[in-house]
Amino acid sequence: RQADGSTAVDVSVASEGGRTPRAVARLNAAHVNAAANVPVALGLGLVYVVIAKPSAAAAARVFGLLTAARLVHSLAYVAGVQPWRSISYIVASVEVLEMAFHTATALLA
């Protein structure tokens, strides 16, 4: 019970400045995750296009899947939905690894 007699449920989590609502904490975590992963994918994507010189169809497939997977991952992260968060992360990771592989192959050729 609260001091005023109500029985409100605490749906917040601890943070540096006190308590943060759980939805805000989850949204912040999704943002931090995207901020850590998207620049790496964009940088590698630029290197992939310049060095590996993929066909337009191959580049569209890789970037389309990567973008869709990152969007699904962000939405699933915020919503707390499994297994979609994990599946979309794996799909995005596979696309990043594919770009890295084709770039390395082009460099070694």
Side-chain angles (χ1 to χ4, degrees):
R1 285 202 174 269
Q2 303 289 326
D4 65 358
S6 67
T7 57
V9 176
D10 184 11
V11 292
S12 61
V13 293
S15 68
E16 289 181 22
R19 304 290 288 177
T20 302
R22 202 173 291 276
V24 173
R26 187 168 277 288
L27 186 60
N28 185 52
H31 174 74
V32 168
N33 181 277
N37 288 288
V38 170
V40 172
L42 288 175
L44 182 58
L46 177 63
V47 172
Y48 168 65
V49 168
V50 170
I51 295 182
K53 297 180 182 8
S55 68
R61 184 190 59 76
V62 168
F63 293 128
L65 281 171
L66 179 60
T67 301
R70 284 304 310 176
L71 286 172
V72 169
H73 180 266
S74 292
L75 293 173
Y77 201 129
V78 171
V81 181
Q82 286 291 0
W84 299 111
R85 179 178 159 198
S86 297
I87 292 169
S88 60
Y89 184 83
I90 291 167
V91 170
S93 296
V94 166
E95 294 309 311
V96 168
L97 290 172
E98 181 179 353
M99 287 190 295
F101 174 77
H102 287 293
T103 301
T105 301
L107 281 173
L108 296 173

